[in-house]
């Protein structure tokens, strides 16, 4: 129990190490004595080529004798930061770093962990230990969150912009100014969200701000994404922070498939945004027109976009991404439907709340971490809450014989076999349940517990659920269960 508590304290104090579960690549140890009083001790170590992130966990003894050891870092070329005594650990990477440290390339060669000793009493002795991890593959930004290993439903916004692209808001006396990242984070916290992905256009420069803010928002996962903005369509990429060339149609990115291959190589999730928006001079490239798209390399499609909702006065109509998505499902693909506010203004007007979190994408995940959220997105146990509420729920399960599946899953069924579904709904009347099979609304008999039956046809099929209010307004969009021949 004490070891577990110590680990929790370390992770909260040192978010850089929340994902460092393995054995460190290097352990540096040494001794501080009274002779080191008010001196600086360089501790050098070698960093190999190809490292993309370096993480350090540092601790020392002797505090009972008032020994104090401060911490800093230099690479072979430049100073990388100084945290003094305010951290037991930190990370640096090409795109982001812990507060107090500078992001940038990680050159191979001699690095220096700089120990400052403002106080060491005469004749005192203390020992220190620095654990160092070298990562050579792209990784999501580290996060320390109290619910990181708790399975459940997590609510978030997957599409938003800040001052790192074209996000603006009223700040102080300025009528309109680039909106700092913290305003979006505060708006997400106020909306009761569990996670957000800040997806500025073609950049991940927002990663450093998110890394600095994360320890102050332990209940809100701050994920770095980007909206890859091309002349033939926009797509969010979640996961990696390294540069992905977005110049579709150029010599470096001749086809959409080459861009998709780069995303796959980086371990990213590829999600097409607002595909039904007209593409022209008013919004060049906003609709999805990329020829030869490899839809088997598309993990998600944004079926509901907050900006489109404002334009239409609702989420249904010519700008809805649902028909585009369902056309891909009817081609036999399994692609997860998601939503995003596409928020460009995190300010809160006097007459209405911020648009952050409207719509909300609700994902069943194994925990609140970037890896778990993205794994849940890929798995498809996801629904979209168009009003961005905190309590509405929609889930779908199905059984036939001894086989079963949940939303996003596959269920083998023989032609003519009856498949029993159960729709689980909370926060809204079950009477609003709408069943869709292969893109067409069907009207099976639904029991008061949400149970209904669908008979398997001669070929693969899919079934999903929506929920509407008494006036017919769409409230929740569910993902399918996929019925496949055995």
């Amino acid at each position: 129990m004490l070891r577990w508590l110590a680990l929790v304290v370390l992770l909260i104090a040192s978010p850089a190490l929340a994902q460092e579960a393995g054995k460190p690549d290097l352990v540096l140890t040494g001794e501080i004595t009274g002779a080191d009083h008010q001196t600086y001790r360089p501790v050098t170590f070698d960093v190999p080529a190809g490292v993309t992130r370096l993480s350090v966990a540092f601790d020392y003894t002797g505090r009972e004798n008032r020994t104090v050891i401060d911490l800093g870092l230099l690479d072979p070329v430049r100073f990388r930061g100084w945290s003094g005594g305010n951290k037991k650990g930190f990370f640096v990477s090409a795109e982001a770093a812990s507060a107090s440290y500078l992001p940038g390339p990680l050159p191979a060669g001699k690095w220096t962990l700089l120990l400052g000793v403002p106080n060491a009493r005469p004749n005192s002795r203390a020992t220190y230990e620095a654990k160092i991890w070298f990562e050579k593959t792209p990784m999501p930004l580290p996060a320390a969150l109290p619910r990181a290993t708790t399975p459940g439903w997590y609510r978030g916004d997957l599409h938003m912009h800040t001052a790192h692209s074209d996000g603006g808001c009223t700040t102080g006396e300025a009528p309109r100014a680039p909106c700092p990242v913290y305003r979006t984070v505060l708006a997400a916290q106020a909306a009761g969200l569990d996670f957000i992905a800040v997806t500025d256009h073609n950049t991940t420069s927002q990663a450093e701000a998110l890394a600095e803010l994360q320890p102050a928002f332990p209940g809100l996962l701050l994920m770095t994404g980007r909206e890859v903005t091309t002349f033939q369509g926009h797509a969010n990429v979640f996961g990696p922070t390294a540069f992905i060339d977005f110049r579709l149609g150029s010599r470096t990115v001749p086809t959409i498939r080459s861009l998709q291959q780069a995303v796959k190589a980086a371990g990213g999730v590829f999600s097409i945004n607002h595909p039904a928006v007209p593409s022209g001079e008013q919004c060049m490239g906003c609709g999805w027109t990329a020829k030869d798209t490899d839809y088997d390399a598309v993990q998600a499609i944004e079926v509901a976009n907050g900006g489109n909702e404002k334009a239409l006065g609702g989420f249904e109509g010519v700008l809805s991404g649902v028909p585009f998505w369902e056309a891909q499902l009817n081609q036999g693909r399994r692609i997860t439907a998601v939503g995003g506010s596409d928020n460009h203004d995190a300010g809160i007007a006097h007459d209405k709340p911020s648009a952050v979190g409207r719509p909300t994408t609700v994902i069943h995940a194994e925990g609140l971490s970037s890896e778990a959220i993205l794994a849940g997105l890929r798995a498809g146990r996801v629904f979209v809450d168009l009003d961005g509420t905190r309590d509405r729920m929609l889930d779908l399960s199905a059984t036939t014989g001894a086989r079963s599946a949940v939303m996003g899953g596959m269920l083998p069924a023989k032609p003519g076999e009856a498949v029993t579904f159960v729709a689980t709904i909370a926060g809204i009347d079950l009477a609003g349940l709408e069943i869709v099979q292969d893109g067409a609304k069907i009207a099976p008999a639904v029991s008061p517990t949400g149970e209904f039956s669908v008979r398997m046809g001669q070929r693969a099929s899919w079934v999903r659920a929506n929920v509407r209010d008494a006036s017919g307004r769409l409230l929740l969009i569910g993902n399918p269960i996929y019925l496949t021949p055995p």
Side-chain angles (χ1 to χ4, degrees), residues 423-466:
T424 302
I425 296 173
I428 191 66
D429 196 333
L430 179 65
L433 180 66
E434 176 181 85
I435 309 302
V436 180
Q437 182 176 20
D438 299 334
K441 297 177 184 177
I442 61 174
V446 180
S447 76
T449 59
E451 182 175 310
F452 61 94
S453 181
V454 172
R455 196 162 296 279
M456 179 65 174
Q458 296 298 313
R459 58 183 181 84
S461 180
W462 55 266
V463 176
R464 67 178 193 85
N466 293 326

Side-chain angles (χ1 to χ4, degrees), residues 176-195:
R176 190 76 177 171
C179 204
V181 175
Y182 82 89
R183 294 285 291 269
T184 291
V185 175
L186 286 174
Q189 184 184 56
L193 299 181
D194 300 306
F195 66 89

Side-chain angles (χ1 to χ4, degrees), residues 117-405:
V117 186
N119 192 69
R121 290 175 175 174
N123 302 317
S124 66
R125 283 185 187 278
T127 60
Y128 64 81
E129 180 182 74
K131 296 178 181 178
I132 300 175
W133 289 262
F134 302 133
E135 296 294 342
K136 292 190 175 183
T137 56
M139 294 182 65
L141 289 178
L145 298 163
R147 291 178 290 173
T149 58
T150 305
W153 293 96
Y154 294 98
R155 314 178 85 87
D157 192 336
L158 290 172
H159 191 171
M160 51 213 333
H161 298 275
T162 71
H164 289 264
S165 58
D166 52 352
C169 57
T170 301
T171 56
E173 297 179 358
R176 190 76 177 171
C179 204
V181 175
Y182 82 89
R183 294 285 291 269
T184 291
V185 175
L186 286 174
Q189 184 184 56
L193 299 181
D194 300 306
F195 66 89
I196 59 172
V198 179
T199 55
D200 283 305
H201 297 285
N202 297 328
T203 187
T204 56
S205 59
Q206 69 275 22
E208 185 177 6
L210 293 169
E212 182 176 355
L213 289 167
Q214 183 66 89
F217 293 86
L220 176 62
L221 174 64
L222 308 181
M223 299 166 56
T224 302
R226 83 201 72 187
E227 185 171 18
V228 175
T229 307
T230 80
F231 304 138
Q232 300 171 36
H234 298 181
N236 279 342
V237 174
F238 307 113
T241 56
F243 174 67
I244 293 174
D245 199 335
F246 55 87
R247 294 171 290 179
L248 179 58
S250 69
R251 179 182 58 81
T252 56
V253 191
T255 67
I256 184 62
R257 287 177 180 251
S258 56
L259 193 156
Q260 290 179 284
Q261 288 167 1
V263 172
K264 182 179 179 180
V269 170
F270 190 89
S271 178
I272 294 176
N273 288 342
H274 40 69
V277 172
S279 183
E281 289 187 351
Q282 185 173 355
C283 190
M284 186 60 69
C286 284
W288 193 259
T289 61
K291 295 180 180 179
D292 300 320
T293 300
D294 181 3
Y295 287 101
D296 291 327
V298 175
Q299 287 78 49
I301 292 174
E302 186 183 71
V303 300
N305 176 280
N308 291 348
E309 188 266 346
K310 290 181 182 178
L312 294 172
F315 284 101
E316 294 187 282
V318 295
L319 302 184
S320 168
V322 170
F324 181 95
W325 167 58
E326 290 187 335
Q328 296 306 316
L329 299 184
N330 284 338
Q331 293 294 316
R333 298 185 175 93
R334 295 174 60 191
I335 301 176
T336 302
V338 299
S341 69
D342 200 359
N343 182 69
H344 285 69
D345 184 351
I348 300 176
H350 293 296
D351 58 339
K352 59 182 180 180
S354 166
V356 168
R358 180 187 169 94
T360 294
T361 299
V362 189
I363 299 176
H364 193 278
E366 290 303 305
L368 190 56
S369 68
S370 295
E371 296 92 341
I373 291 297
L374 295 182
L377 189 156
R378 290 176 185 271
R381 196 174 179 190
V382 176
F383 71 91
V384 182
D385 184 340
L386 299 176
D387 287 346
T389 72
R390 303 188 186 194
D391 59 352
R392 289 177 184 165
M393 294 295 300
L394 171 62
D395 199 5
L396 190 65
S397 62
T399 58
T400 179
R403 302 181 297 275
S404 64

Side-chain angles (χ1 to χ4, degrees), residues 41 43 45 56 70-74 79-84 90 100-101 112-116:
R41 284 275 303 275
V43 179
F45 59 98
V56 176
D70 291 337
L71 203 58
L73 184 69
L74 298 93
F79 174 74
R80 296 301 291 261
W82 180 261
S83 55
F90 61 86
S100 310
Y101 292 87
T112 301
L113 194 64
L114 186 59
L115 309 183

